[in-house]
Amino acid sequence: MKIKFDWDKGRRQGIVSGDLFDEIRAHFSVKNEAAKFARFRGRFIPPRNYVITPAGRFDPGLTMEIVKFVEESYNVQVETTFTDDFAQNVFSPYHNGDDISVPELNLPLRDYQKEIVLKCISTGRGVVVLATAGGKTLTIATLLEYVYQQNKDFKCALIVPDRGLVEQTCSDFNEYGTSFKASKWTGDDELDLSANVIVCNLGILQSSKSDTSWLSAIDMCVVDEVHKLRKGNKVNKLFKQLRTCNIFGLTGTMPEETIDQWNIIGKIGPILYEKGSYELRNNDYIADVKAQILRLEYASEPKYPATLKTPAERYRVELDFLIHNNFRNNVLASLCKKFDKNALLLVDYIEHGTLLHQHISARCPDKKVYFIRGDVAVEDRERVRSIMEMEDNVVVVAISKVFSTGINIKNLHYIIFGSGGKAKIKTIQSIGRGLRLHKNKTKLIIFDIGDDLYYGRQHLAGRIAHYEKENIEYGAQTIKEKDS
């Protein structure tokens, strides 16, 4: 049997063909859940989502996944052919030998970080799944330093989720002592194409006012927090501009949906390395962690009007009940009052954060209490982070989208999940905010507020499943509201 891989220059995609094409295409597909609503929407919705088109086109990073599927699934001799055009546009390792000299920066690499750098150098593209607090930025810096030492004129786009991480990444590079020139490109920083590494946030890249044509001339692209590269996201369009096949993505957690995983692998490349939080904790690379679940039982429950037709409407009623519930807010404020170390309280909505900030400030006059939301300037966020690193007895209420990814606080002892939810990435990434080692910290404590309500019970069960999968020890206690 034969399989052939060719290259579509115009679309910059691979084309797979051969005896097993139908089987390959079927394997790389998932059931389309939207199809069951087709008759309500009055249009045809295909029953399955495919990552390979009927003509065989696919995102080139998926190549080795296709080869792996064929090799593992069919007990037959398969002849695989790559055309020269395909090979030149998909495979471009930096070094093919074993005698690779990894540069040393001010902060020495751990063994697994060195292994990651070596795999990136010898493969040329791919995804690294390294648990939060495992040192992704140092790993990136060392990889970039290696490439710079081989080519002093190289250009790289380093894409991070937000402006705060642009600042933090450049600051980290200075601390590590990198010798390449790095620049920031945000709404406040002009594009400097003379730099070797341009650190930019997703917002500036996706702005309709931004000229991103320079992406077609770069030698490397690195995407931090690559789990955000979901199928259908606007950021996917940026990859159509790339002409380099040296593309790397790093994340602490891959998405749960297979179609999103294939999208990331297709745009970036195969998974090169995986190391989870449990392994890092076992080897004392990051802090140990324990979750304490506080199950709240309410004297009354929210009323769900009969006019509510969808689960989203019912969930919103429950959410409004929780946001304005004095019993719940007082429990959170009392919890913060007991802490003598720093705490991060994560919520999903500004109204909720505002109310909790008021409750905690009133209950804890001896503490510094801050509220970080999306409109807080990057400089102010960094100032609060610096205060937490230098001082104790600080409470930060933060919107989870702002503080659940990328922000690292070593002197953080408590994290409180104040808004429920069950999303895997948000839960695991949020825990990662406090896993970095600190001289005064032996263990990070998670306080998980579990609401004994219809959706609250379901969401808590989801979070417990994440704790069990990540081997995070947890305990539980119940707090009952007294009848008024």
mmCIF file of all heavy atoms in Angstrom, residues 177-219:
data_model
loop_
_atom_site.group_PDB
_atom_site.id
_atom_site.type_symbol
_atom_site.label_atom_id
_atom_site.label_comp_id
_atom_site.label_asym_id
_atom_site.label_seq_id
_atom_site.Cartn_x
_atom_site.Cartn_y
_atom_site.Cartn_z
ATOM 1 N N GLY A 177 19.704 36.938 31.018
ATOM 2 C CA GLY A 177 20.943 37.331 30.356
ATOM 3 C C GLY A 177 21.037 36.894 28.905
ATOM 4 O O GLY A 177 22.124 36.559 28.419
ATOM 5 N N THR A 178 19.923 36.915 28.184
ATOM 6 C CA THR A 178 19.963 36.570 26.763
ATOM 7 C C THR A 178 20.737 37.629 25.994
ATOM 8 O O THR A 178 20.753 38.801 26.370
ATOM 9 C CB THR A 178 18.537 36.462 26.195
ATOM 10 O OG1 THR A 178 17.827 37.686 26.456
ATOM 11 C CG2 THR A 178 17.783 35.305 26.842
ATOM 12 N N SER A 179 21.386 37.224 24.895
ATOM 13 C CA SER A 179 22.190 38.173 24.121
ATOM 14 C C SER A 179 21.493 38.660 22.858
ATOM 15 O O SER A 179 21.951 39.614 22.223
ATOM 16 C CB SER A 179 23.544 37.549 23.755
ATOM 17 O OG SER A 179 23.365 36.363 23.015
ATOM 18 N N PHE A 180 20.393 38.026 22.459
ATOM 19 C CA PHE A 180 19.651 38.506 21.297
ATOM 20 C C PHE A 180 18.858 39.759 21.662
ATOM 21 O O PHE A 180 18.562 40.010 22.839
ATOM 22 C CB PHE A 180 18.719 37.423 20.744
ATOM 23 C CG PHE A 180 17.770 36.840 21.771
ATOM 24 C CD1 PHE A 180 16.610 37.497 22.152
ATOM 25 C CD2 PHE A 180 18.044 35.605 22.354
ATOM 26 C CE1 PHE A 180 15.745 36.960 23.086
ATOM 27 C CE2 PHE A 180 17.180 35.056 23.300
ATOM 28 C CZ PHE A 180 16.035 35.727 23.665
ATOM 29 N N LYS A 181 18.521 40.545 20.658
ATOM 30 C CA LYS A 181 17.737 41.762 20.890
ATOM 31 C C LYS A 181 16.260 41.414 20.874
ATOM 32 O O LYS A 181 15.755 40.851 19.911
ATOM 33 C CB LYS A 181 18.028 42.817 19.821
ATOM 34 C CG LYS A 181 17.223 44.108 20.020
ATOM 35 C CD LYS A 181 17.495 45.135 18.925
ATOM 36 C CE LYS A 181 16.640 46.389 19.127
ATOM 37 N NZ LYS A 181 16.853 47.379 18.040
ATOM 38 N N ALA A 182 15.571 41.742 21.958
ATOM 39 C CA ALA A 182 14.127 41.507 22.058
ATOM 40 C C ALA A 182 13.407 42.839 22.148
ATOM 41 O O ALA A 182 13.876 43.768 22.805
ATOM 42 C CB ALA A 182 13.810 40.650 23.279
ATOM 43 N N SER A 183 12.271 42.927 21.489
ATOM 44 C CA SER A 183 11.463 44.149 21.541
ATOM 45 C C SER A 183 10.021 43.794 21.858
ATOM 46 O O SER A 183 9.593 42.647 21.690
ATOM 47 C CB SER A 183 11.544 44.917 20.217
ATOM 48 O OG SER A 183 10.882 44.191 19.186
ATOM 49 N N LYS A 184 9.261 44.765 22.314
ATOM 50 C CA LYS A 184 7.843 44.591 22.637
ATOM 51 C C LYS A 184 6.987 45.245 21.556
ATOM 52 O O LYS A 184 7.308 46.342 21.095
ATOM 53 C CB LYS A 184 7.533 45.227 23.996
ATOM 54 C CG LYS A 184 8.261 44.592 25.167
ATOM 55 C CD LYS A 184 7.978 45.310 26.472
ATOM 56 C CE LYS A 184 8.718 46.631 26.554
ATOM 57 N NZ LYS A 184 8.609 47.254 27.888
ATOM 58 N N TRP A 185 5.934 44.558 21.166
ATOM 59 C CA TRP A 185 4.959 45.168 20.253
ATOM 60 C C TRP A 185 3.580 45.018 20.870
ATOM 61 O O TRP A 185 3.021 43.933 20.960
ATOM 62 C CB TRP A 185 5.008 44.517 18.877
ATOM 63 C CG TRP A 185 4.111 45.213 17.877
ATOM 64 C CD1 TRP A 185 3.902 46.561 17.785
ATOM 65 C CD2 TRP A 185 3.307 44.616 16.870
ATOM 66 N NE1 TRP A 185 3.016 46.844 16.762
ATOM 67 C CE2 TRP A 185 2.637 45.662 16.179
ATOM 68 C CE3 TRP A 185 3.096 43.304 16.461
ATOM 69 C CZ2 TRP A 185 1.772 45.424 15.113
ATOM 70 C CZ3 TRP A 185 2.230 43.064 15.396
ATOM 71 C CH2 TRP A 185 1.574 44.117 14.731
ATOM 72 N N THR A 186 3.051 46.122 21.367
ATOM 73 C CA THR A 186 1.721 46.160 21.973
ATOM 74 C C THR A 186 1.047 47.442 21.504
ATOM 75 O O THR A 186 1.574 48.155 20.653
ATOM 76 C CB THR A 186 1.804 46.175 23.512
ATOM 77 O OG1 THR A 186 2.405 47.413 23.927
ATOM 78 C CG2 THR A 186 2.647 45.023 24.036
ATOM 79 N N GLY A 187 -0.092 47.749 22.085
ATOM 80 C CA GLY A 187 -0.742 49.013 21.752
ATOM 81 C C GLY A 187 0.069 50.215 22.178
ATOM 82 O O GLY A 187 -0.091 51.312 21.641
ATOM 83 N N ASP A 188 0.986 50.017 23.141
ATOM 84 C CA ASP A 188 1.809 51.119 23.654
ATOM 85 C C ASP A 188 3.238 51.091 23.120
ATOM 86 O O ASP A 188 3.981 52.044 23.319
ATOM 87 C CB ASP A 188 1.862 51.076 25.186
ATOM 88 C CG ASP A 188 0.499 51.300 25.811
ATOM 89 O OD1 ASP A 188 -0.288 52.082 25.245
ATOM 90 O OD2 ASP A 188 0.219 50.673 26.845
ATOM 91 N N ASP A 189 3.635 49.996 22.460
ATOM 92 C CA ASP A 189 5.004 49.848 21.977
ATOM 93 C C ASP A 189 5.003 49.670 20.475
ATOM 94 O O ASP A 189 4.302 48.785 19.943
ATOM 95 C CB ASP A 189 5.676 48.630 22.634
ATOM 96 C CG ASP A 189 5.706 48.735 24.144
ATOM 97 O OD1 ASP A 189 6.540 49.476 24.665
ATOM 98 O OD2 ASP A 189 4.864 48.074 24.793
ATOM 99 N N GLU A 190 5.792 50.479 19.780
ATOM 100 C CA GLU A 190 5.860 50.421 18.328
ATOM 101 C C GLU A 190 6.600 49.173 17.862
ATOM 102 O O GLU A 190 7.469 48.643 18.555
ATOM 103 C CB GLU A 190 6.573 51.672 17.782
ATOM 104 C CG GLU A 190 5.824 52.978 18.027
ATOM 105 C CD GLU A 190 4.512 53.052 17.254
ATOM 106 O OE1 GLU A 190 4.455 52.492 16.130
ATOM 107 O OE2 GLU A 190 3.547 53.643 17.769
ATOM 108 N N LEU A 191 6.266 48.717 16.687
ATOM 109 C CA LEU A 191 6.907 47.558 16.092
ATOM 110 C C LEU A 191 8.348 47.888 15.726
ATOM 111 O O LEU A 191 8.616 48.855 15.008
ATOM 112 C CB LEU A 191 6.135 47.117 14.847
ATOM 113 C CG LEU A 191 6.670 45.909 14.081
ATOM 114 C CD1 LEU A 191 6.645 44.666 14.959
ATOM 115 C CD2 LEU A 191 5.846 45.688 12.809
ATOM 116 N N ASP A 192 9.282 47.090 16.225
ATOM 117 C CA ASP A 192 10.704 47.286 15.945
ATOM 118 C C ASP A 192 11.221 46.055 15.207
ATOM 119 O O ASP A 192 11.580 45.043 15.812
ATOM 120 C CB ASP A 192 11.469 47.489 17.256
ATOM 121 C CG ASP A 192 12.966 47.683 17.034
ATOM 122 O OD1 ASP A 192 13.394 47.748 15.860
ATOM 123 O OD2 ASP A 192 13.705 47.749 18.036
ATOM 124 N N LEU A 193 11.288 46.153 13.895
ATOM 125 C CA LEU A 193 11.689 45.012 13.073
ATOM 126 C C LEU A 193 13.193 44.779 13.082
ATOM 127 O O LEU A 193 13.674 43.820 12.490
ATOM 128 C CB LEU A 193 11.195 45.197 11.636
ATOM 129 C CG LEU A 193 9.672 45.148 11.462
ATOM 130 C CD1 LEU A 193 9.297 45.426 10.015
ATOM 131 C CD2 LEU A 193 9.121 43.792 11.889
ATOM 132 N N SER A 194 13.942 45.652 13.756
ATOM 133 C CA SER A 194 15.385 45.427 13.868
ATOM 134 C C SER A 194 15.709 44.400 14.954
ATOM 135 O O SER A 194 16.834 43.905 15.023
ATOM 136 C CB SER A 194 16.108 46.742 14.183
ATOM 137 O OG SER A 194 15.818 47.178 15.512
ATOM 138 N N ALA A 195 14.738 44.078 15.789
ATOM 139 C CA ALA A 195 14.954 43.121 16.880
ATOM 140 C C ALA A 195 14.976 41.698 16.340
ATOM 141 O O ALA A 195 14.344 41.379 15.326
ATOM 142 C CB ALA A 195 13.864 43.268 17.934
ATOM 143 N N ASN A 196 15.700 40.833 17.046
ATOM 144 C CA ASN A 196 15.686 39.412 16.693
ATOM 145 C C ASN A 196 14.384 38.753 17.118
ATOM 146 O O ASN A 196 13.842 37.908 16.396
ATOM 147 C CB ASN A 196 16.847 38.676 17.377
ATOM 148 C CG ASN A 196 18.197 39.203 16.983
ATOM 149 O OD1 ASN A 196 18.858 39.856 17.782
ATOM 150 N ND2 ASN A 196 18.623 38.948 15.755
ATOM 151 N N VAL A 197 13.904 39.133 18.289
ATOM 152 C CA VAL A 197 12.686 38.538 18.841
ATOM 153 C C VAL A 197 11.678 39.641 19.127
ATOM 154 O O VAL A 197 11.974 40.570 19.887
ATOM 155 C CB VAL A 197 12.987 37.753 20.138
ATOM 156 C CG1 VAL A 197 11.702 37.146 20.704
ATOM 157 C CG2 VAL A 197 14.013 36.667 19.870
ATOM 158 N N ILE A 198 10.533 39.547 18.496
ATOM 159 C CA ILE A 198 9.459 40.519 18.716
ATOM 160 C C ILE A 198 8.394 39.842 19.571
ATOM 161 O O ILE A 198 7.737 38.894 19.137
ATOM 162 C CB ILE A 198 8.862 40.992 17.383
ATOM 163 C CG1 ILE A 198 9.949 41.671 16.537
ATOM 164 C CG2 ILE A 198 7.691 41.942 17.618
ATOM 165 C CD1 ILE A 198 9.566 41.888 15.098
ATOM 166 N N VAL A 199 8.278 40.290 20.818
ATOM 167 C CA VAL A 199 7.305 39.721 21.749
ATOM 168 C C VAL A 199 6.009 40.514 21.598
ATOM 169 O O VAL A 199 5.981 41.728 21.840
ATOM 170 C CB VAL A 199 7.806 39.784 23.209
ATOM 171 C CG1 VAL A 199 6.841 39.038 24.124
ATOM 172 C CG2 VAL A 199 9.201 39.185 23.316
ATOM 173 N N CYS A 200 4.954 39.847 21.185
ATOM 174 C CA CYS A 200 3.698 40.559 20.915
ATOM 175 C C CYS A 200 2.517 39.799 21.489
ATOM 176 O O CYS A 200 2.578 38.585 21.686
ATOM 177 C CB CYS A 200 3.520 40.766 19.407
ATOM 178 S SG CYS A 200 3.842 39.308 18.396
ATOM 179 N N ASN A 201 1.453 40.523 21.782
ATOM 180 C CA ASN A 201 0.261 39.914 22.359
ATOM 181 C C ASN A 201 -0.772 39.639 21.279
ATOM 182 O O ASN A 201 -0.766 40.254 20.204
ATOM 183 C CB ASN A 201 -0.328 40.796 23.463
ATOM 184 C CG ASN A 201 -0.726 42.163 22.972
ATOM 185 O OD1 ASN A 201 0.113 42.896 22.430
ATOM 186 N ND2 ASN A 201 -1.988 42.536 23.136
ATOM 187 N N LEU A 202 -1.668 38.720 21.567
ATOM 188 C CA LEU A 202 -2.693 38.337 20.594
ATOM 189 C C LEU A 202 -3.540 39.523 20.160
ATOM 190 O O LEU A 202 -3.926 39.620 18.995
ATOM 191 C CB LEU A 202 -3.598 37.251 21.190
ATOM 192 C CG LEU A 202 -3.026 35.838 21.235
ATOM 193 C CD1 LEU A 202 -3.983 34.916 21.977
ATOM 194 C CD2 LEU A 202 -2.788 35.320 19.823
ATOM 195 N N GLY A 203 -3.824 40.433 21.096
ATOM 196 C CA GLY A 203 -4.682 41.572 20.780
ATOM 197 C C GLY A 203 -4.135 42.420 19.650
ATOM 198 O O GLY A 203 -4.867 42.782 18.719
ATOM 199 N N ILE A 204 -2.844 42.759 19.703
ATOM 200 C CA ILE A 204 -2.256 43.613 18.671
ATOM 201 C C ILE A 204 -2.196 42.877 17.341
ATOM 202 O O ILE A 204 -2.373 43.470 16.270
ATOM 203 C CB ILE A 204 -0.848 44.111 19.096
ATOM 204 C CG1 ILE A 204 -0.379 45.242 18.181
ATOM 205 C CG2 ILE A 204 0.164 42.997 19.124
ATOM 206 C CD1 ILE A 204 -1.100 46.550 18.385
ATOM 207 N N LEU A 205 -1.965 41.568 17.369
ATOM 208 C CA LEU A 205 -1.889 40.796 16.130
ATOM 209 C C LEU A 205 -3.241 40.680 15.449
ATOM 210 O O LEU A 205 -3.327 40.622 14.229
ATOM 211 C CB LEU A 205 -1.343 39.390 16.422
ATOM 212 C CG LEU A 205 0.160 39.291 16.682
ATOM 213 C CD1 LEU A 205 0.505 37.885 17.178
ATOM 214 C CD2 LEU A 205 0.961 39.605 15.435
ATOM 215 N N GLN A 206 -4.303 40.633 16.258
ATOM 216 C CA GLN A 206 -5.637 40.447 15.693
ATOM 217 C C GLN A 206 -6.357 41.757 15.411
ATOM 218 O O GLN A 206 -7.460 41.745 14.874
ATOM 219 C CB GLN A 206 -6.480 39.596 16.649
ATOM 220 C CG GLN A 206 -5.931 38.184 16.808
ATOM 221 C CD GLN A 206 -6.735 37.342 17.763
ATOM 222 O OE1 GLN A 206 -7.457 36.439 17.376
ATOM 223 N NE2 GLN A 206 -6.623 37.639 19.053
ATOM 224 N N SER A 207 -5.747 42.884 15.751
ATOM 225 C CA SER A 207 -6.373 44.173 15.496
ATOM 226 C C SER A 207 -6.432 44.451 13.998
ATOM 227 O O SER A 207 -5.462 44.235 13.266
ATOM 228 C CB SER A 207 -5.587 45.288 16.196
ATOM 229 O OG SER A 207 -6.056 46.557 15.800
ATOM 230 N N SER A 208 -7.563 44.948 13.551
ATOM 231 C CA SER A 208 -7.729 45.275 12.127
ATOM 232 C C SER A 208 -6.826 46.436 11.713
ATOM 233 O O SER A 208 -6.576 46.651 10.529
ATOM 234 C CB SER A 208 -9.190 45.630 11.842
ATOM 235 O OG SER A 208 -9.602 46.749 12.638
ATOM 236 N N LYS A 209 -6.323 47.181 12.696
ATOM 237 C CA LYS A 209 -5.457 48.324 12.402
ATOM 238 C C LYS A 209 -3.975 47.936 12.308
ATOM 239 O O LYS A 209 -3.132 48.766 11.950
ATOM 240 C CB LYS A 209 -5.624 49.389 13.490
ATOM 241 C CG LYS A 209 -7.039 49.953 13.580
ATOM 242 C CD LYS A 209 -7.156 50.968 14.717
ATOM 243 C CE LYS A 209 -8.578 51.504 14.822
ATOM 244 N NZ LYS A 209 -8.710 52.478 15.951
ATOM 245 N N SER A 210 -3.646 46.688 12.633
ATOM 246 C CA SER A 210 -2.250 46.265 12.671
ATOM 247 C C SER A 210 -1.803 45.696 11.323
ATOM 248 O O SER A 210 -2.533 44.912 10.695
ATOM 249 C CB SER A 210 -2.038 45.204 13.750
ATOM 250 O OG SER A 210 -2.285 45.725 15.030
ATOM 251 N N ASP A 211 -0.612 46.079 10.900
ATOM 252 C CA ASP A 211 -0.001 45.514 9.703
ATOM 253 C C ASP A 211 0.837 44.312 10.142
ATOM 254 O O ASP A 211 1.873 44.463 10.790
ATOM 255 C CB ASP A 211 0.877 46.556 9.009
ATOM 256 C CG ASP A 211 1.575 45.998 7.775
ATOM 257 O OD1 ASP A 211 1.277 44.845 7.391
ATOM 258 O OD2 ASP A 211 2.421 46.712 7.192
ATOM 259 N N THR A 212 0.387 43.122 9.786
ATOM 260 C CA THR A 212 1.093 41.903 10.194
ATOM 261 C C THR A 212 1.815 41.248 9.021
ATOM 262 O O THR A 212 2.191 40.070 9.100
ATOM 263 C CB THR A 212 0.113 40.896 10.822
ATOM 264 O OG1 THR A 212 -0.940 40.619 9.881
ATOM 265 C CG2 THR A 212 -0.492 41.447 12.102
ATOM 266 N N SER A 213 2.018 41.981 7.950
ATOM 267 C CA SER A 213 2.670 41.405 6.767
ATOM 268 C C SER A 213 4.092 40.935 7.069
ATOM 269 O O SER A 213 4.615 40.055 6.386
ATOM 270 C CB SER A 213 2.680 42.418 5.622
ATOM 271 O OG SER A 213 3.378 43.601 5.999
ATOM 272 N N TRP A 214 4.721 41.523 8.098
ATOM 273 C CA TRP A 214 6.089 41.136 8.462
ATOM 274 C C TRP A 214 6.194 39.679 8.894
ATOM 275 O O TRP A 214 7.277 39.094 8.860
ATOM 276 C CB TRP A 214 6.629 42.046 9.569
ATOM 277 C CG TRP A 214 5.824 42.030 10.837
ATOM 278 C CD1 TRP A 214 4.711 42.760 11.104
ATOM 279 C CD2 TRP A 214 6.082 41.232 11.998
ATOM 280 N NE1 TRP A 214 4.240 42.476 12.366
ATOM 281 C CE2 TRP A 214 5.071 41.549 12.939
ATOM 282 C CE3 TRP A 214 7.056 40.314 12.344
ATOM 283 C CZ2 TRP A 214 5.005 40.947 14.200
ATOM 284 C CZ3 TRP A 214 6.997 39.705 13.607
ATOM 285 C CH2 TRP A 214 5.979 40.030 14.514
ATOM 286 N N LEU A 215 5.061 39.073 9.285
ATOM 287 C CA LEU A 215 5.083 37.680 9.707
ATOM 288 C C LEU A 215 5.544 36.746 8.591
ATOM 289 O O LEU A 215 6.085 35.664 8.856
ATOM 290 C CB LEU A 215 3.700 37.250 10.198
ATOM 291 C CG LEU A 215 3.213 37.857 11.525
ATOM 292 C CD1 LEU A 215 1.763 37.487 11.774
ATOM 293 C CD2 LEU A 215 4.090 37.398 12.683
ATOM 294 N N SER A 216 5.350 37.161 7.339
ATOM 295 C CA SER A 216 5.737 36.300 6.218
ATOM 296 C C SER A 216 7.250 36.198 6.058
ATOM 297 O O SER A 216 7.742 35.318 5.349
ATOM 298 C CB SER A 216 5.124 36.824 4.915
ATOM 299 O OG SER A 216 5.634 38.114 4.609
ATOM 300 N N ALA A 217 8.002 37.099 6.729
ATOM 301 C CA ALA A 217 9.465 37.127 6.567
ATOM 302 C C ALA A 217 10.216 36.578 7.778
ATOM 303 O O ALA A 217 11.443 36.544 7.772
ATOM 304 C CB ALA A 217 9.923 38.553 6.281
ATOM 305 N N ILE A 218 9.515 36.135 8.823
ATOM 306 C CA ILE A 218 10.217 35.679 10.029
ATOM 307 C C ILE A 218 10.772 34.274 9.830
ATOM 308 O O ILE A 218 10.314 33.508 8.977
ATOM 309 C CB ILE A 218 9.307 35.718 11.270
ATOM 310 C CG1 ILE A 218 8.110 34.776 11.112
ATOM 311 C CG2 ILE A 218 8.862 37.144 11.561
ATOM 312 C CD1 ILE A 218 7.256 34.664 12.342
ATOM 313 N N ASP A 219 11.771 33.945 10.646
ATOM 314 C CA ASP A 219 12.420 32.633 10.580
ATOM 315 C C ASP A 219 11.832 31.639 11.574
ATOM 316 O O ASP A 219 12.033 30.429 11.434
ATOM 317 C CB ASP A 219 13.922 32.780 10.864
ATOM 318 C CG ASP A 219 14.592 33.762 9.933
ATOM 319 O OD1 ASP A 219 14.612 33.489 8.724
ATOM 320 O OD2 ASP A 219 15.077 34.811 10.409
#
